[in-house]
Amino acid sequence: MKTFVQTLLSTVFILQMYLAMAVVAIVYFPYALLHRDGAVAACHAYCRWVCFSLRLICGLKTEVRGTVPTGEMLIAPKHQSFLDIIMIYGALPRGKFVMKAILGWAPFLGWYAKRIGCIFVNRGKRGAAITKMLADVKSGASLPGQLIIYPQGTRVAPGDQRPYKIGTAVLYSQLQQPCIPVGANVGLFWPKRGILRHRGTAVVEFLPAIPPGLTNDAFMAELEARVETSSNALMAEAGFK
C-alpha cells in the first residue's frame, strides 16, 4: 500500500513538474528574451520549485554540501538522474552545461539552455565532438559562469560502473581553471528510469578544487577517485550496500 501511494504521489509530482516547466518558461520569456539574466533567473526559479514540490509531494528532501563555487571554474559531477542537474544548477550562480545536441530541440528546455550559454555536443563522434566542444567553449568564453560537464557522459545508476571520458580532461587543460568534483547519491531516490520517487534526503557534495596544471592522466585519476569516493560515502550514508 505504501508503495502504491508513493507511486501515485510520484506521478502527481512528475506531471506538475513538466507543467511548471512550461509555466515558468512562458512567464519569464519576455525578460529572458531581453536579457540573458532573465533566462538564468527562470532556470533558478524552476530549480527551486522542483526541489520544493519534490519535498512537499514526495517527501524527498534535497541537500547541498560543501563550498559552492562562484568564480570561473569547471564543474565535474556524478550524474545519476535529472535531480542532480536541478540541484547543481540551482546551487551555482551562473551554471552552463555541456549537453547532448538533441536536447537543444526540446521544448522550452532547449531555448533556455542556449540562452544561458550551454554547449551542445553530438554523441558518438568522439574526435569531432571534442573539437567542436572546444571551439564552442572558446567562442563562449566571454559569458561568465561555471561550466558543468558530466565526466562519465551519461546517467549512471548506483552500483553501476562507467568509464570517465577524456573530454573533461581536454576542457580542464584548455581552460586552465580549477575543477570542482561533485559527488551525489540522488540516484537512490530519483532513479535513472521509472516513476517512483523515494522518501529520504538526496545530497550533492561540492568537493575541494583540483588545481590547474596536472597532466591529463593525473587529472582523470584524481577526478575519478574524488567523485567516486564521495558518491560511495553518500550512498552508504543513505543505506545503500
Side-chain angles (χ1 to χ4, degrees), residues 22-82:
V23 171
V24 170
I26 292 168
V27 168
Y28 276 84
F29 180 73
Y31 180 22
L33 188 63
L34 290 172
H35 202 290
R36 198 177 300 273
D37 286 347
V40 174
C43 294
H44 279 147
Y46 181 66
C47 291
R48 288 194 298 271
W49 174 256
V50 171
C51 292
F52 169 77
S53 60
L54 185 61
R55 180 171 184 169
L56 180 68
I57 299 171
C58 298
L60 175 52
K61 296 177 285 186
T62 56
E63 180 183 345
V64 176
R65 296 182 185 174
T67 302
V68 178
T70 57
E72 301 287 305
M73 294 187 185
L74 183 64
I75 313 294
K78 186 72 174 178
H79 190 18
Q80 294 181 334
S81 77
F82 184 61

Side-chain angles (χ1 to χ4, degrees), residues 176-235:
Q176 290 295 298
Q177 294 174 353
C179 176
I180 306 294
V182 184
N185 71 359
V186 302
L188 298 177
F189 306 99
W190 182 317
K192 180 179 176 179
R193 295 184 179 87
I195 293 173
L196 188 60
R197 306 291 182 258
H198 302 278
R199 293 177 178 272
T201 303
V203 180
V204 296
E205 181 180 27
F206 289 91
L207 302 168
I210 300 174
L214 298 181
T215 64
N216 283 356
D217 288 344
F219 166 73
M220 292 301 292
E222 183 69 14
L223 175 65
E224 182 172 355
R226 293 196 191 187
V227 171
E228 293 301 315
T229 298
S230 170
S231 299
N232 289 338
L234 292 173
M235 290 190 292

Side-chain angles (χ1 to χ4, degrees), residues 86-141:
I86 292 292
M87 293 175 66
I88 290 167
Y89 185 86
L92 294 171
R94 197 89 184 194
K96 46 186 180 180
F97 289 90
V98 175
M99 58 197 299
K100 294 184 294 185
I102 194 172
L103 294 176
W105 299 98
F108 305 117
L109 187 151
W111 186 84
Y112 273 89
K114 293 172 185 174
R115 193 70 176 130
I116 65 174
C118 291
I119 307 298
F120 296 91
V121 296
N122 290 305
R123 298 175 72 176
K125 299 179 180 180
R126 180 175 170 182
I130 289 177
T131 299
K132 183 179 183 301
M133 177 179 69
L134 293 175
D136 289 346
V137 168
K138 186 176 182 180
S139 66

